[in-house]
Amino acid sequence: MRFGKTLRQSVYPPWKDQYIDYAKLKSILREDKPDDEDEPWTEEDENRFCDEIFNTQLEKVAKFQEAKIEELRNRTDEAAEKLKHLNEQQQSEEGGEGDAAQEEGEEGKHEEVAVDKQKLKEMEAELDRITNEVKELQKYSNLNYTGFLKIVKKHDRKRGDRYKIRPMMQVNLSNRPFNSEQAYSPLLNKLSYMYFAIRRFEAPDAGDVLPIDPDSQPETHNGEKYTAHKFWVHPDNLLEVKTYILRRLPALVYSEQSAKEVDGQQDPTITSLYFDNAKFQLYSKKVEREAEASSLRLRWYGQLSARPEILLEQKLLHENGTSEERKFAIKEKYVKAFLDGEYKMEKSVQKMERKGQKAEDVEEFKGTADAIQEFVRDNKLEPLVRANYVRTAFQNPGDDRVRISIDTDIAFIREDTLDRDRPCRDPKDWHRADIDNSNMTHPFKNINQSEVSRFPYAVLEIKLKEDVNNKRGRPVWIQDLMGSHLVHPCPRFSKFVQGVASLFEDYVNRLPFWLSDLNTDIRKDPQRAFQEEEERRARRAENEQVVGSFLGTKLSSYKPSRSSPAAKSYLADRMATDAAAAAASPKSGVTTSNQQQAVSTPAGDEAGESSQSQPLIPRENRENREINYGTLSSVLPGFSLSKYSRAKRAHEAGITSLPPGVTEPKEWIKNSGPLQIEPKVWLANERTFLKWQHICVLLGGLAISLYTASASSKGGNLLGEVMGMVFLGVAAFTGGWSWWVLRRRREMIVGRSGKDFDFVLGPMVVAGALGVALVVNFGIAYQQAFEKHWGGDGGHHGNRSGVDMGDLR
């Protein structure tokens, strides 16, 4: 189905005028005209198309999304206030319930309960409306996101000889906060907690089952419930992530079939062969997160020529957000017959019966095989895309409470037969024989490169058993890793979805949000990543505290770090900060909570520099000024941009503002304790002194040689003697200056000084003196040469025009 038709069928009627005008963009692009009948594409046509798509269509969609998200947030906050008021009203009624029952009787009591239930139903209906609009907004975002990528791909394919705008569009989409899997997570998280509170109002004894985290994926394995968290890891950070995990969990050594190939010495290569039909129905359901969305794959370790055990797995996604797997082992020779419905795993059933296995297990196996075979038949499934990757697993032996896997060298390969004239796979076989028979490995250079897509990052998956994290918490080291700069969260990432989206973009009408992140650098600044994680955790804790106040219980034990801006911007401190900011005048230098986030000192600054000593300069300005370090300060030391100099100038100017009740420390923290000087610091000072002494010796030798040669020449050479004395003076200054700098820096090191160690006066004097001496020397020498050769009566000049034949002989 063409995307234009999909767009028309998927429009949400109340927002029909806010979608991308795909038909208009196609008409501007002249997509319907054949290339041979098309008019030349001019600069004016290009400007018109870019203006329409970037300045009109993209801005229209972006403004609507921003306004709608803000509206939904306000409605959610209003619903939270109503729920809080309902809770206070119920508590007051419960306080006077005994007297009311005596005066009005039991009938009045039941009437009050009925009124409360009616209010709860109205509140739940409002939450349902908000939740439905959030879901529609997610579909709206995904549909427009796909539309923009589709139309710029058409542009680059048809009009991209001189102009390529797809990269520009991808950057614009990645900069929009709503084009992200995490854009709606805080809102959905707050709604889920409000639903939880309403359920507890209706059934106080229902238990403390907390709502599902939108950033995680609940899964079920062998009857055990897990919470899965997925991340991307940049290759630059991969080794650090592995070593961080190895300090807590041992690497899992694969045995069984994979050990035959890797012998337990290397991580195994895994191949997953995913199924779908020609309409990509399984892919569409998974991208749109429809209820009962399923996926099917064949998976094996190592090379297929080694005859490994093959697992046929079906992953089911239930309506409540949880997922489970159905799987069984099958031999290679039976795969094709099973997929065609000609074999029903009879031999495996007979083998289980001969071994005396329980009748319940045999029936369960038969039911699983029949269900998967029926699923293949009803959906007309066939192998579509292959995912090949190397997996490193971490797990304590015999303890599956924490399971971690890292997949690297990920490559997606087409396995389809959609093009009957040039199929990627033999339609009579269930896999690509050209890859498996030749034991081809990553990076798969021997196949058509248009049929392979290599994923640039590693995929980290953390699975936590529900009983180990106390239904919400998680081990501290896991939490630190998940919130660090080393990983990039991608909650709903799927290899199946990524493989289809990257290889079959022309066949599908839905694309996952994370595609835009593939064109950006996912590496983060450590401090910024720390702050973002603290703010996210603080928002979540705030939601939990709100619900806990409804129920009279404590759901969160979160304590923000002292160095985190979340400690000042959220929870109880946030209200106090906002109140203080509102009461202060603009001239008092007091900032709002948002401004405090911008000027707060990052955690982990250099030792001895407390946050109170930092001038109130926004982060952006501080970064820009630090980039210029070494230019202005190198020429004028009074304008040094070091933290010490900025803090000193701010203190002298009275800019530094300390919080109430905080006094300026008399001694730096770095100055407390015994003196410890690293050898490299001391030796660096000595090495600099020796370099200066080397320059002193060179200049002194030059000066003595020049003076001696000039004085001993016939008639003397006044210029040479003067220059020798000048160079000798410069050499003496160099030696004295280097000795003074050596002693001065020693004193600063021993005294733990935070001042600058750069002394620019000496180098400037030496360089300036040498430069002036050379210029004066050149000028005087040139003048003497001019007078000697061209001065006087010109006789010598005349001689130069003649040639002495004797000299020639």
Side-chain angles (χ1 to χ4, degrees), residues 40 42 109 190 202 267 303 359 371 401 429 444-445 500 521 551 605 625 639 643 652 718 761 805:
T42 63
K109 179 178 177 180
K190 193 167 187 176
E202 295 176 345
D267 297 325
Q303 296 294 340
R401 292 177 298 175
D429 205 349
F444 300 96
K445 295 182 178 180
V500 173
D521 190 354
L551 308 176
D605 280 347
R625 294 182 65 178
F639 289 89
K643 295 180 179 180
E652 293 175 352
L718 180 61
L761 177 61
M805 298 303 294

Side-chain angles (χ1 to χ4, degrees), residues 55-299:
N55 299 331
T56 303
Q57 299 297 328
L58 185 58
E59 288 301 318
K60 176 183 70 174
V61 173
K63 290 181 179 178
F64 177 77
Q65 287 177 311
E66 292 174 358
K68 203 63 185 177
I69 288 178
E70 185 65 24
E71 176 190 341
L72 293 173
R73 286 173 181 167
N74 295 335
R75 290 173 59 184
T76 303
D77 293 339
E78 292 176 1
E81 289 297 325
K82 292 180 182 179
L83 191 60
K84 183 177 181 180
H85 178 70
L86 182 62
N87 175 61
E88 295 174 351
Q89 181 181 359
Q90 183 177 5
Q91 290 179 353
S92 62
E93 290 176 354
E94 289 176 354
E97 191 175 276
D99 297 336
Q102 294 179 359
E103 296 177 1
E104 301 179 6
E106 294 296 330
E107 182 177 355
K109 179 178 177 180
H110 289 297
E111 183 178 354
E112 289 179 0
V113 174
V115 172
D116 289 343
K117 287 185 177 181
Q118 181 63 29
K119 292 181 179 179
L120 288 176
K121 289 182 179 180
E122 295 176 358
M123 181 64 62
E124 191 171 5
E126 174 64 14
L127 294 182
D128 289 340
R129 289 190 290 269
I130 297 175
T131 304
N132 290 334
E133 286 206 21
V134 172
K135 293 180 179 179
E136 291 296 337
L137 188 60
Q138 284 182 310
K139 294 180 181 179
Y140 170 89
S141 300
N142 183 269
L143 200 62
N144 286 280
Y145 174 84
T146 305
F148 283 117
L149 291 182
K150 289 278 188 180
I151 196 64
V152 296
K153 184 176 182 179
K154 289 180 179 293
H155 169 276
D156 290 354
R157 183 169 52 195
K158 189 177 181 67
R159 311 295 182 188
D161 295 337
R162 292 183 296 169
Y163 313 100
K164 298 284 187 181
I165 65 173
R166 183 180 173 91
M168 187 187 304
M169 176 59 70
Q170 289 175 329
V171 171
N172 276 271
L173 292 175
S174 63
N175 291 334
R176 306 286 179 174
F178 39 76
N179 289 321
S180 171
E181 292 287 342
Q182 300 178 1
Y184 306 95
S185 293
L187 189 58
L188 291 174
N189 183 267
K190 193 167 187 176
L191 289 170
S192 65
Y193 274 100
M194 294 173 66
Y195 275 116
F196 173 70
I198 290 178
R199 290 194 300 269
R200 286 295 302 273
F201 273 130
E202 295 176 345
D205 299 330
D208 294 332
V209 180
L210 294 177
I212 297 174
D213 186 355
D215 294 335
S216 63
Q217 178 68 43
E219 296 182 358
T220 302
H221 298 280
N222 299 325
E224 301 288 348
K225 295 183 179 179
Y226 290 85
T227 302
H229 305 265
K230 296 183 180 180
F231 305 87
W232 292 351
V233 182
H234 194 277
D236 293 350
N237 299 327
L238 183 58
L239 181 60
E240 188 173 354
V241 171
K242 286 186 176 182
T243 54
Y244 180 86
I245 299 174
L246 279 173
R247 295 189 185 101
R248 283 88 180 173
L249 289 179
L252 180 64
V253 178
Y254 285 80
S255 56
E256 300 178 359
Q257 185 65 33
S258 62
K260 297 179 182 180
E261 185 167 321
V262 301
D263 196 23
Q265 302 299 320
Q266 299 178 357
D267 297 325
T269 300
I270 301 178
T271 301
S272 295
L273 197 60
Y274 293 98
F275 289 71
D276 207 340
N277 53 34
K279 296 181 180 180
F280 294 89
Q281 291 178 338
L282 300 188
Y283 167 85
S284 300
K285 290 181 179 180
K286 199 169 185 65
V287 172
E288 297 174 7
R289 302 179 188 175
E290 294 186 5
E292 302 300 329
S294 302
S295 61
L296 184 69
R297 69 177 179 181
L298 286 164
R299 180 167 59 91

Side-chain angles (χ1 to χ4, degrees), residues 675-734:
L675 178 63
Q676 295 180 354
I677 301 176
E678 294 187 13
K680 64 180 182 180
V681 177
W682 196 268
L683 295 176
N685 189 27
E686 299 287 348
R687 185 166 56 250
T688 305
F689 171 71
L690 294 177
K691 289 288 187 181
W692 277 105
Q693 289 299 309
H694 179 66
I695 296 175
C696 175
V697 172
L698 290 178
L699 290 177
L702 174 64
I704 296 299
S705 301
L706 182 61
Y707 182 83
T708 303
S710 300
S712 61
S713 61
K714 185 178 180 180
N717 187 345
L718 180 61
L719 175 61
E721 295 177 2
V722 172
M723 295 305 301
M725 296 298 296
V726 171
F727 285 127
L728 185 61
V730 175
F733 174 81
T734 304

Side-chain angles (χ1 to χ4, degrees), residues 16-55:
K16 62 180 180 179
D17 296 331
Q18 304 298 332
Y19 286 80
I20 177 177
D21 196 340
Y22 196 75
K24 182 177 181 180
L25 292 172
K26 286 183 63 178
S27 64
I28 297 176
L29 197 59
R30 301 201 290 266
E31 176 69 14
D32 298 333
K33 293 185 178 181
D35 293 339
D36 53 353
E37 299 179 2
D38 196 8
E39 300 177 0
W41 185 257
T42 63
E43 185 79 21
E44 183 179 354
D45 295 330
E46 181 69 20
N47 292 336
R48 181 188 174 196
F49 179 81
C50 291
D51 180 71
E52 179 67 25
I53 192 171
F54 287 105
N55 299 331

Side-chain angles (χ1 to χ4, degrees), residues 29 97 100 119 155 274 284-285 290 312 322 334 378 389 403 414 433 474 483 502 526 548 644 659 712 753 761 772:
L29 197 59
E97 191 175 276
K119 292 181 179 179
H155 169 276
Y274 293 98
S284 300
K285 290 181 179 180
E290 294 186 5
L312 183 57
T322 61
Y334 297 132
D378 294 345
Y389 49 94
R403 302 167 59 186
R414 291 183 59 165
R474 54 180 69 103
S502 59
Y644 174 84
S712 61
S753 175
L761 177 61
V772 171

Side-chain angles (χ1 to χ4, degrees), residues 558-793:
Y558 165 71
K559 294 182 181 180
S561 303
R562 290 187 177 183
S563 59
S564 169
K568 298 180 181 179
S569 304
Y570 293 95
L571 309 178
D573 291 345
R574 187 181 66 174
M575 300 178 62
T577 304
D578 292 343
S585 62
K587 296 181 180 181
S588 63
V590 180
T591 58
T592 62
S593 59
N594 292 334
Q595 291 171 332
Q596 286 179 357
Q597 294 180 30
V599 302
S600 60
T601 304
D605 280 347
E606 295 181 4
E609 295 171 357
S610 64
S611 59
Q612 288 83 2
S613 67
Q614 296 292 331
L616 299 181
I617 302 175
R619 170 177 293 275
E620 294 78 3
N621 296 342
R622 293 207 307 269
E623 291 176 351
N624 293 336
R625 294 182 65 178
E626 288 173 2
I627 292 175
N628 295 328
Y629 184 83
T631 55
L632 182 61
S633 62
S634 298
V635 180
L636 301 175
F639 289 89
S640 174
L641 301 179
S642 68
K643 295 180 179 180
Y644 174 84
S645 300
R646 294 203 309 267
K648 182 178 179 181
R649 290 197 299 270
H651 179 71
E652 293 175 352
I655 301 176
T656 305
S657 178
L658 298 177
V662 178
T663 59
E664 184 177 0
K666 298 181 180 179
E667 182 182 8
W668 296 103
I669 297 178
K670 68 182 180 65
N671 294 340
S672 59
L675 178 63
Q676 295 180 354
I677 301 176
E678 294 187 13
K680 64 180 182 180
V681 177
W682 196 268
L683 295 176
N685 189 27
E686 299 287 348
R687 185 166 56 250
T688 305
F689 171 71
L690 294 177
K691 289 288 187 181
W692 277 105
Q693 289 299 309
H694 179 66
I695 296 175
C696 175
V697 172
L698 290 178
L699 290 177
L702 174 64
I704 296 299
S705 301
L706 182 61
Y707 182 83
T708 303
S710 300
S712 61
S713 61
K714 185 178 180 180
N717 187 345
L718 180 61
L719 175 61
E721 295 177 2
V722 172
M723 295 305 301
M725 296 298 296
V726 171
F727 285 127
L728 185 61
V730 175
F733 174 81
T734 304
W737 168 262
S738 62
W739 175 254
W740 180 85
V741 170
L742 173 68
R743 304 302 302 177
R744 179 60 178 159
R745 285 176 176 164
R746 281 183 178 178
E747 294 175 359
M748 294 175 65
I749 294 173
V750 174
R752 299 170 172 176
S753 175
K755 297 182 179 180
D756 294 333
F757 280 80
D758 52 339
F759 298 98
V760 299
L761 177 61
M764 292 178 63
V765 170
V766 173
L770 291 177
V772 171
L774 291 175
V775 170
V776 171
N777 186 15
F778 176 79
I780 296 176
Y782 180 81
Q783 182 179 5
Q784 292 178 351
F786 183 83
E787 292 177 352
K788 180 178 180 181
H789 294 283
W790 288 280
D793 56 1

